[in-house]
Amino acid sequence: SPAPAGDDPAEPAGEEPAEEGGEEATEPADEDAVVFVAQGSDAVTLDPHGQNDQASSRVRVQMFDTLLMQTKDLEYVPLLATEWTQVDDLTIEFKLREGVKWHNGEDFTADDVVYSLRRAIESPSVGQIVNMINPDKIEKVDDLTVRVGTDEPFGPLLAHLSHPAISMVNEKAVTDAGDNVDITPVGTGPYKLKNWARGDYVELERNDDYWGEPAKTKYITFRNVSENANRTIELETGGVHIAYDIAPNDVSKIEDNADLTLVRDANFSTTYIGFNASKEPFDKPEVRQAINHAVNMDEIVEAVYFGVGNKAAGPLGSNVAFANQDLEPYEYNPELAKEMLAEAGYPDGFDLVIWTNDNQVRQDIAEIVQNQLQQIGINASMEVLEWGSYLANTAAGEHDMFILGWTTVTGDADYGLYALFHSSQFGDAGNRTFYKNDRVDELLDIGRTSVVEADRAAAYQEVQEIIREDAPWIFTWNGEDLVGTSNKISGFELHPAGHYRLHNVVLGQ
Amino acid sequence: MAKNVATASASAPVVADKKRNQWKEVWRRLKQNKMAMLGLGILVFMVIIALSADLLFPKGFDDQMISRRFQLPNSEYWFGTDNLGRGILDRMVHGARVSLSIGLFAVTISIVFGGLLGAMAGFYGGKVDNIIMRSLDVLLAIPSILLAISIVSALGGGLFNVMLAVGISSIPGYARIVRASVITLKGQEFIEAARAIGASDKRIILRHIIPNALAPIIVQGTLGVAGAILSAAGLSFIGLGLAPPNPEWGAMLSGGRQFIRDHWPMTLFPGLAIMITIFALNLLGDGLRDALDPKLRN
Amino acid sequence: MLRYIARRLLLLIPVILGVALITFTMLYFSPGDPAQMTLGEQAGAEQLEQFRELHGLNDGFFVRFFNYVKNAVLHQDLGLSYRNRQSVFAEVALRFPTTLKLAGLGVLVAVAMGIPIGIISATKQYSLFDSISMIFALVGVSMPNFWQGMLMIIFFSVYLGWFPPSGFTNFNQMVLPSLTIGTSTAAIITRMTRSSMLEVIRQDYIRTARAKGQKESKVITKHALGNAMIPIVTVIGLQFGYLLGGAVLTESIFAIPGVGRLMVDAIKMKDFPIVQGGVLFIAVTFSLVNLIVDILYAFLDPRVRSQYR
Amino acid sequence: MSRKPLLDIKNLNVHYITHEGTTKAINDLNLALYPGETLGLVGETGAGKTTTALSMMQLVPDPPGKIISGEILYHDQDLTKLSEHELRKIRGNQISMIFQDPMTSLNPIMTVGDQIREGILLHQKVDMATATKRASDMLEVVGIPMERYNEYPHQFSGGMKQRVVIAIALSCNPEILIADEPTTALDVTIQAQVLQLMENLKKDFNTSMLMITHDLGVVANVCDHVAIMYAGTVIEHAEKHMLYRTPKHPYTQGLFGSIPNVEENVDRLKPIMGLMPDPTNLPTGCTFHPRCPHAMDICQVEFPRITRLNDEHWVRCHLYSADEEVSHE
Amino acid sequence: MSKVMLEARGLTKYFDVPGGKLHAVDHVDFVIHEGETLGLVGESGCGKSTTGRLLLRLLEPTEGEVWFDGENITTMPLKDFRKYRSQMQIVFQDPYASLNPRMSLSEIIEEPLIINRIHNNAADRAKRVRELMDTVGLAQRLLNVYPHELDGGRRQRIGIARALALKPRFIVQDEPVSALDVSIQAQILNLMDDLQDEFKLTYLFISHDLSVVKHVSDRIVVMYLGVIVEMAESQDLFDRREHPYTQALLSALPVPSVDIETRPILLKGEISSPINPPDACRFAGRCPYKQELCDREEPKLREIHPGHWVACHFAGNLVQTEDIIVGGQVVAAEEGEDIDIQELARQEVAPEEDILTEEAAEVEPEDIIEVEEAKSEETIITK
Ligand SMILES: Nc1ncnc2c1ncn2[C@@H]1O[C@H](COP(=O)(O)OP(=O)(O)OP(=O)(O)O)[C@@H](O)[C@H]1O
Ligand SMILES: Nc1ncnc2c1ncn2[C@@H]1O[C@H](COP(=O)(O)OP(=O)(O)OP(=O)(O)O)[C@@H](O)[C@H]1O
Ligand SMILES: [Mg+2]
Ligand SMILES: [Mg+2]
């Protein structure tokens, strides 16, 4: 694979005078520079089909490639597949890239794709992303062509295949690794694993045989710094060059610091406060609407998120494909809320408990909501559950109200709506509000099974209006990614799904 | 005959006419210890404040107003306000109840169970002793904070569970202390004397062993309250403490930690409150140790 | 001595079994579904079932416990982590050196501070130095560890820029955590040293040494300290043992990848094999530390030495 | 007054000052120890015997102890005025002390040999090997085979430990040996051994000895002179035979009446009434007057001065004040 | 002779200690007659207190029986034994340790009355307490003081009053005066003498102080390492010391008189271990007369004069008293004769491993550690 023209990394740039280096941030510091990245936890496994947690994805995405990926603007660009065609409603054919080598020196072929997809489908952790694909309908056409088929039409299939969890793995490498598959990643990506001190840091090294433009920095180290404040301090004191997930209250510290840059953009995440729609009085839409009116979301965004992100108008963030851009957030109007409650038959309010897990932000939200609801006569209290019980008990429907978040990783409305609002998805599967509306089910099914863009769009526009109106949630907040970087860093780009590719990152002087 | 032998004593030692209580004696000694009295004073002050929280600080602990958040100490909010605009002092004063009662109840739990187990082990010895102490060894081998974390994560948070967790995790310590003092006491001649006049096991335990084993327990208990408050704070830090908006000091401290650089009152005051309380408890504990130490008698 | 050690090592077996049973029971009855926790909120019912089957979560209490013990005994296998399917033994063993280092350094700092201060304040009882060091000791125990850690970070990392705020690989990174742990432990050691020294210097043999015409400094170092060491060593051992799992908060604050943190994460994520394995590791080490302390007694005290036969 | 005392305590006052009050442990105490003699110091608990001994070593714990006034003359120097450095040269070298309880007087974590050697190294300019040799010899002298040099105190029986303590005290061949109840903790048969041994060593080394005890039987066996202490002062000081045959002070007489004697059968003992006075609150005048069967008015107000009955016998008692002229000749 | 009140038959107590069985009391037989004082002497650790406790059933014997008033009180159910409790009492050595520091004087004296339901109402009890205080010579104003406020002599009077409260007939005096000063000791001895006359009490008087024992006792039992070596009328024992140990013991007693010359018999060797003693004379290791037989066979207690019992193979054939006996041969020592004491002392020493194990046995290693730990835990605050 030819080296890209332009800056030859072999050329010593470190000899530039220091003062100029400050200006010319893009100049590579030196050949063996290490970029340190801090995130809030360590990767759990480096097997893409192992765990689907953010921290792991953020590391793996540097080492593994998917067939195709979505840009931040939701356009599909080729990675390991160079082109794809919809053969019929149920089948897509992929042409694979030629001359790609795995980190272990093997050639990348159609067999790997077949193996990887089947393996992903079987994986308990990531299987649900691709389980609409029929494993028997994954066919190798020739060494560089693969067909993928579903049993029913599935609109967002490409989006799902772009999910970083559906990365390609090498059959031989996986088999050779045996029990160690989680710690011996073999991908095709721009970086390969150098060393992993589990719990502490992961060191990556440039893959010089990368099929595309090689990474600009030779080494990247992901450090696990769990305390938010510490990540900021590490960034300030030069211990790391890039810090992910800056706490909202640290925004000003980075913005005010001449040596640092805050990179921020909306992401695909949403935070919501769900009702238990199967339980009195939350089974009444009026009650749910009233509560939506009773919560001053601007205050929450200000107090809890320090103005970071946006208050949510509906179930999807505006950057998600098929998001309804016309939805209006519920107006804060406690008087109206009281009236509506009275109409619904609760003039004196009632008792309710808001559940959260031990997440500080959610607790803060709950505290405020709890307080605001008391002002319209609802005697709200809050209870913090340990994560395990929290998930179990909300899945079992034992709650009144609960706070959770959701990230529409694929950037597609289906991913952001189906599991959460379809009545087939009660409980564990995602619909913890036990919200059921036949029309919504119908529309979600259309959106999912149609492969016609326009049909899907229409269905999603309507369904979002209904959901907003029915208000199984208090629509709370659409998230924003905050990453702090040193000014020495250039080439860092966000991605709304949260996993940032770092191969363009350069550490300057 | 016998009488004239004895009563001829001109310079008798300290002798009182009215009924005297030995606790008064302890109190007298304690009063001489300035540091211990300082500790006691601080604690009494805290308890009084905590009990009269509703009267003194009627705003309560959940008087939010986002617009007045992050105020520095001022004439209305002596300790400033927190991230939701609540008075830090108001919260701390109401929180004193929670924190102090966590300490108190947790220690009560561990004293009651630890004391019972330790007394049984020490008094009966042999197999009973072996079984109890070996089981407690097992408990001791699990770090107490981990034990507490596991218990809270098993039972869920909440005041009672936190107290229970902290209490259970310090049972082995008390059991050992009680056992040690029971064993020492058991060998004392006055226990044998009680047997000789026909006292039952029950009477011996209740009348002779427990009152005498009390001193180290009281000392340890005082220090234990301090330990329990710290443990509860640690649990809050891990996110397993008391649910907000309950203003437990440890929860306030760990909740405020994200603002430690932006708004110092949120961590400083609860931190100081914890520190001063524990400081006071330690002073009192050390003082009690001296006041109760029979070696220093006479 | 060897026989004594062998006997003590044998005694470990019931302790380990007990610890295993307690943790197992506790975890078994703790609510929350490991499958759900591991696979995430988006996992489907089928996958959950598959996971449960794979890890034998559908078996009853006794079957599971029996299998656990059987695997542990027959194959020295503590199971696999739910989350990354790594051998629990390997995962814990990977973190253990860090934990040992942290506890060791903390105790070292504590000993270096606590013993000299304790000795001086005992020999100068009621002096100003005594009062000051006792107040220091009290402050040390009174300050919540994590708060102290944060304050140290702000002061030493942010304002002075002397030491990095997190990590535990190079010396600079080890300074703040060791100090955080060290000061609170030092407080305990100081108090113990002081009271133990006070006890010892009242003894007759100290008077005997003085009556020989020995210098006061020698009386303290040669005669008193050795005898005062036993309770001090006990405390050091206890503290070291306690820090093996008890330094969780410090580990979190300073982002140190130790066993404590591994376990707290595992508890939260219901990665039971890790919790179980971690507790066992700690319990065994704790018992070993106790054994070492007991052996140390023998070195310190010939009376104890003659009993270890 | 023919000979010059080796050690002469004059009007010594020692107080222990504590929060609870001031204990007047030693009050106007006079005591003389002559070369080569064994002086018995007898008194009941709290009389101040140990404090007297510690004063001679200048080892009264301070705080709370304080030497208020008085002199302790030894070779023309006042021990109370010497510097710590000078005192260290005397302690263990010229004046040695054996403490009451052999069980606790030895450092449990040092070998007995090393404990003997320590003093030798401190006071004699010899190298390690010589010191070790001398320490082993000392062990042999007190009847312990030198093979046991490297053993620890707990491996020895009470009697043997007491012998080690004696070896330590005698290792530098002191002029004065203070023995504070050296046999109280021992059984009679062992006590007899130890006393015999001390007696002999004293002769061999030509040491003067202050033997502190409350056992008049022991005194009768080993002492030449006897001083009886009561409430911090010596109330009678005499040659042994004089004291036993003609005790003068009512307290001394009371003591003799209190002890059962195997040699004679008495039906009832004749104890002294009452109790030792509270040392923080001593009676005025003669401290013994509340218990004294012969108390007179003057006894309540005036602390009696020393009355010399003859060269070898004096007493502090108003009963004999009148005789003073006589004794003065 | 008056009638037998109490009888020990083959009374035995072994304690389990790490080194084996500690023979604290090994098959002792003796009787105590109504109204007499039986003295029990011996060196420390020879089993005196254990014997006393066994008699009162404060310890269960390993073997043997105690008969009181012709009843076997060892095997009877505790329920039936209760009524004997009040007839047999004990006064302890240590007046500091034998009184509960948290109970006032009146509470202590009242307790036996409450436990045994002697008086049903508080007023009667209070009256009885006052009577008892009078009896033992405690001033009424001390009614509500606590033991720590009192001196040893007064405390010992409390102990005596407590023992008397149940109107016992038999009292074990376990070294009741050895912690007291001589002047106080005399007061207490006189008091006990008076009480014995007044209430017709029978005493077992335990002491290691021979002069005291001689003063109070009608008959004396000498114990050595758990066995009785000699037993006789008081004066008889002093006049005809038959057992070599008794001889040594009596000769070593310092007499407070300058007119009587005492020449102690110096024993060589150390006391041997009471743990698993061999079947031999327990005194053999220190006995100047030791023969080969002594190492082989344990001598039985036999009556060599009427009422005078000795457990020695050669009793009656030994050279009498007042001579210094060295290393198995008898040396007449005239006054002033020079004996090479250093030589003597050297012979005394026999490196005895046993003594080490004996001492080691007293503390279990675990116990030391546990106590230390407990101590340390006190000051530790878990974070
Ligand atoms: N360190 C001390 N602090 C306070 N008071 C003390 C101290 N040492 C001794 N005393 C008091 O001084 C007085 C004399 O004590 P000392 O030890 O000299 O008596 P003693 O004659 O040796 O008694 P014993 O026979 O009990 O050894 C006693 O009242 C005692 O309580
Ligand atoms: N509870 C016990 N456990 C083990 N050994 C014991 C126990 N009680 C006593 N002994 C041992 O039994 C032996 C006899 O003890 P006992 O107390 O009867 O002796 P004593 O003659 O009263 O001694 P002293 O004069 O010291 O009081 C001693 O060796 C002692 O160590
Ligand atoms: Mg003394
Ligand atoms: Mg006894």
Side-chain angles (χ1 to χ4, degrees), chain E residues 11-238:
Chain E
L11 204 53
T12 301
K13 180 72 192 179
Y14 300 156
F15 289 108
D16 282 320
V17 293
K21 289 233 181 297
L22 189 151
H23 294 221
V25 175
D26 211 349
H27 297 93
V28 303
D29 301 274
F30 59 88
V31 295
I32 300 175
H33 303 280
E34 187 102 52
E36 80 167 338
T37 299
L38 180 68
L40 183 55
V41 288
E43 290 184 12
S44 91
C46 70
K48 306 182 294 292
S49 301
T50 306
T51 306
R53 288 176 183 146
L54 288 171
L55 294 185
L56 297 196
R57 213 177 155 179
L58 291 170
L59 276 175
E60 291 297 323
T62 311
E63 247 177 69
E65 293 154 4
V66 178
W67 290 68
F68 187 82
D69 275 352
E71 288 268 5
N72 180 345
I73 60 165
T74 317
T75 48
M76 67 170 54
L78 274 176
K79 188 162 84 309
D80 302 338
F81 176 68
R82 268 186 159 264
K83 70 169 185 282
Y84 290 93
R85 264 275 136 82
S86 53
Q87 310 211 16
M88 317 161 77
Q89 281 301 313
I90 180 165
V91 176
F92 292 98
Q93 163 171 16
D94 189 343
Y96 295 79
S98 58
L99 302 177
N100 186 339
R102 310 232 170 255
M103 285 167 84
S104 70
L105 192 156
S106 60
E107 285 172 308
I108 293 172
I109 302 179
E110 194 180 13
E111 191 178 23
L113 304 176
I114 297 174
I115 291 172
N116 294 283
R117 303 203 175 78
I118 306 285
H119 298 287
N120 288 331
N121 66 60
D124 286 356
R125 275 204 302 270
K127 187 160 155 269
R128 173 87 175 117
V129 168
R130 284 166 192 279
E131 269 171 38
L132 283 163
M133 287 174 68
D134 270 348
T135 313
V136 299
L138 285 167
Q140 298 292 337
R141 70 200 155 85
L142 300 177
L143 202 60
N144 289 316
V145 301
Y146 286 85
H148 73 265
E149 298 169 294
L150 295 174
D151 60 280
R154 285 216 180 85
R155 288 186 216 202
Q156 200 53 296
R157 288 171 200 263
I158 304 176
I160 295 169
R162 171 175 59 192
L164 290 178
L166 297 175
K167 302 193 174 139
R169 293 161 55 215
F170 172 62
I171 297 182
V172 172
Q173 310 272 10
D174 191 357
E175 314 214 19
V177 293
S178 49
L180 303 176
D181 267 326
V182 274
S183 62
I184 310 300
Q185 177 174 324
Q187 295 172 5
I188 299 290
L189 287 177
N190 280 351
L191 168 65
M192 300 210 288
D193 195 23
D194 296 338
L195 295 173
Q196 182 164 37
D197 292 348
E198 186 175 341
F199 300 110
K200 308 274 171 297
L201 293 171
T202 306
Y203 287 156
L204 174 71
F205 192 97
I206 299 174
S207 179
H208 59 254
D209 186 338
L210 275 165
S211 33
V212 171
V213 171
K214 163 115 189 295
H215 175 75
V216 300
S217 310
D218 302 311
R219 288 187 309 130
I220 295 178
V221 170
V222 181
M223 272 181 90
Y224 188 81
L225 277 185
V227 295
I228 294 178
V229 293
E230 191 160 359
M231 179 159 72
E233 298 271 323
S234 220
Q235 195 56 49
D236 188 24
L237 187 89
F238 273 72

Side-chain angles (χ1 to χ4, degrees), chain C residues 7 25 39 117 143 175 194 219 229-230 239-240 249:
Chain C
R7 207 176 42 143
T25 315
L39 302 182
I117 297 178
M143 209 160 170
V175 173
R194 178 175 180 269
V219 170
M229 251 356 244
I230 284 209
Q239 283 301 306
F240 184 77
L249 304 183

Side-chain angles (χ1 to χ4, degrees), chain C residues 140-141 143 145 148 184 188 191-192 230-231 234-235 238-239 242 294 297 304 307-308, chain E residues 353 356-357 359-360 363-366 368-369 372-373 375-377 379-383:
Chain C
V141 279
M143 209 160 170
N145 233 337
Q148 188 193 344
S184 52
I188 295 162
R191 292 171 103 192
M192 186 42 102
I230 284 209
T234 312
V235 173
L238 272 178
Q239 283 301 306
Y242 162 78
D294 289 351
Y297 288 163
V304 181
Q307 288 162 25
Y308 291 172
Chain E
E353 283 307 308
L356 312 184
T357 35
E359 290 199 2
V363 205
E364 248 187 291
E366 258 101 349
I368 294 188
I369 292 156
E372 306 281 10
E373 271 177 6
K375 189 203 258 169
S376 61
E377 273 162 22
T379 48
I380 296 169
I381 293 182
T382 32
K383 278 207 163 181

